[in-house]
Amino acid sequence: GAAYEVDCIIFSTGFEVGTPWWDRAGFDLEGRDGLTLSQYWSDKLHTLHGIHVHGFPNAFFAEPSPHGGNLISNFTHNLTAAGVAIAAVVRHAEDRGAKMVEVTKEAEDAWRKFVRSGSGGMLGALDCTPSYYNHEGKVRARGHRKGRGYPGGQLAYFRYLDAWCSSGRFDGLSFTGVPEDEPAGRNVGQ
């Protein structure tokens, strides 16, 4: 019942993999118009780079995602790459006087389509020991394509994300509260 003014809140969910984000976080993030993250992701994952989610402004996700670098042996490399990208976006917003950062719906949809254009991702079959590779033994069929990452692989994703940040354009994001002579958002490009 109390309100606290803060600059930043960081929720860390640990290294649990394959469970819903809201279960690991201990709460269901509420976005615009009361929509919760579990509702928005109930039918499929929607993100830009696995970091930004339309309808959830100023929320950033730094965990490996099927829409990002996906799961690799060096798990912390994913976290570092996402953290560097988030820091670059926040710096850009602060430098422009933006109060809100959000991925556009068009960019989110384009990214999802791009990721789905790849050949698939994580291995896993019903006869494997239950784990995050096969959704705890609940894969629907062989050829399970859940868990796709960047179509060119993890290293290509990290290069892409670095170039996206280095460009300074932040294609696909909308920055509100930006002075009128500054572009507010652009389309995503692969």
Side-chain angles (χ1 to χ4, degrees):
Y4 301 94
E5 190 171 321
V6 298
D7 292 325
C8 179
I9 298 174
I10 298 173
F11 290 100
S12 179
T13 61
F15 287 95
E16 185 176 340
V17 177
T19 59
W21 181 90
W22 42 93
D23 285 348
R24 292 190 311 270
F27 68 96
D28 199 357
L29 186 63
E30 187 174 307
R32 190 174 286 112
D33 300 323
L35 182 69
T36 63
L37 192 61
S38 65
Q39 290 168 327
Y40 192 57
W41 284 352
S42 66
D43 64 335
K44 57 190 169 193
L45 187 65
H46 308 266
T47 77
L48 174 65
H49 306 147
I51 297 172
H52 313 279
V53 180
H54 180 73
F56 296 84
N58 294 344
F60 306 96
F61 296 85
E63 61 182 62
S65 162
H67 282 189
N70 215 328
L71 297 171
I72 60 172
S73 296
N74 188 351
F75 181 85
T76 56
H77 192 98
N78 279 307
L79 301 174
T80 300
V84 167
I86 292 165
V89 169
V90 170
R91 168 60 51 174
H92 183 79
E94 286 181 342
D95 289 349
R96 306 288 173 296
K99 303 296 181 208
M100 192 176 341
V101 178
E102 183 178 5
V103 62
T104 66
K105 184 66 176 142
E106 295 78 18
E108 188 182 72
D109 290 345
W111 186 257
R112 184 173 186 279
K113 183 178 180 181
F114 173 66
V115 169
R116 291 181 56 82
S117 73
S119 62
M122 296 173 10
L123 302 174
L126 287 170
D127 54 349
C128 291
T129 302
S131 68
Y132 61 79
Y133 287 113
N134 66 8
H135 197 57
E136 299 304 328
K138 298 176 188 165
V139 288
R140 290 177 212 96
R142 292 193 186 271
H144 178 59
R145 295 170 58 93
K146 200 169 187 163
R148 296 177 209 204
Y150 190 84
Q154 291 87 0
L155 294 178
Y157 169 75
F158 296 134
R159 285 190 299 269
Y160 168 82
L161 195 58
D162 182 56
W164 181 80
C165 290
S166 297
S167 76
R169 293 189 319 263
F170 301 99
D171 293 341
L173 297 184
S174 173
F175 296 84
T176 58
V178 177
E180 288 189 29
D181 60 338
E182 189 82 25
R186 296 182 169 90
N187 293 327
V188 68
Q190 284 82 33

